[in-house]
Amino acid sequence: MKELSNLAISSNEKREQRIMLLRAKYNDEKYNTVEDVVNDTGYTDKTVRKWAIDGNIPLIDTNNQTIVPITFENKRVINMHKRQEHINQLRKLFYSKQAITSKSCAKKMRYPEKTIIKWAFLDKIPLLLPNGKPVVPLTEENKPDWI
């Protein structure tokens, strides 16, 4: 009986760790939707939804609704230093011409395209959207040398 109890405790601890990791990646803007988590981890939609509910994490579902209501206690807490590091990396990718579209930057950085677009907008990086238009208008300040 003791072995089963230990197994249950171990299983619950792993589950709690996965929920904490889900929260951390949600705060880091790595995950915005249930689909982001499923695509990145391979866990099922049902499992991710359960963890989001149990962890009170307001991921967005396929109906564009949050799994749990957004409250002061569960809203995203962004580490601004880490966000700036990501934006700097995005800026470097774009201006060095390693990736110039939101999709290619998302692939290289392994973040959702929606997050990449938000970062580009915040830093006025004229990444190209899927429709071929830049996220922000080209100006003398943000125009890359290679244009």
Side-chain angles (χ1 to χ4, degrees), residues 11-132:
S11 177
N12 191 52
E13 285 176 8
K14 280 191 177 224
R15 183 179 162 286
E16 291 296 323
Q17 287 173 352
R18 289 182 178 129
I19 291 171
M20 288 188 309
L21 183 61
L22 178 61
R23 167 55 76 179
K25 289 189 177 188
Y26 172 77
N27 285 340
D28 187 42
E29 301 175 278
K30 175 92 174 179
Y31 299 149
N32 300 309
T33 66
V34 172
E35 184 180 14
D36 292 339
V37 182
V38 170
N39 291 340
D40 189 52
T41 64
Y43 293 118
T44 66
D45 184 271
K46 184 178 178 181
T47 298
V48 172
R49 286 173 181 275
K50 178 95 172 95
W51 290 346
I53 291 168
D54 293 349
N56 196 23
I57 304 167
L59 291 172
I60 298 170
D61 66 13
T62 53
N63 298 323
N64 216 23
Q65 301 293 317
T66 57
I67 299 294
V68 295
I70 298 175
T71 65
F72 182 76
E73 289 79 25
N74 72 0
K75 71 179 182 174
R76 182 175 273 164
V77 179
I78 296 171
N79 178 328
M80 296 310 279
H81 177 73
K82 196 166 185 179
R83 179 189 253 184
Q84 191 58 53
E85 286 177 359
H86 293 315
I87 290 173
N88 291 344
Q89 182 184 4
L90 176 61
R91 176 176 275 286
K92 183 179 176 184
L93 279 174
F94 178 76
Y95 285 101
S96 67
K97 207 176 178 182
Q98 293 177 43
I100 62 170
T101 65
S102 56
K103 189 172 190 142
S104 62
C105 288
K107 187 175 180 180
K108 281 196 176 276
M109 292 182 72
R110 304 190 74 209
Y111 274 80
E113 191 172 358
K114 183 178 178 182
T115 299
I116 296 296
I117 292 168
K118 182 192 319 179
W119 291 342
F121 181 80
L122 289 172
D123 204 48
K124 297 181 176 84
I125 302 169
L127 277 181
L128 297 178
L129 295 168
N131 64 8

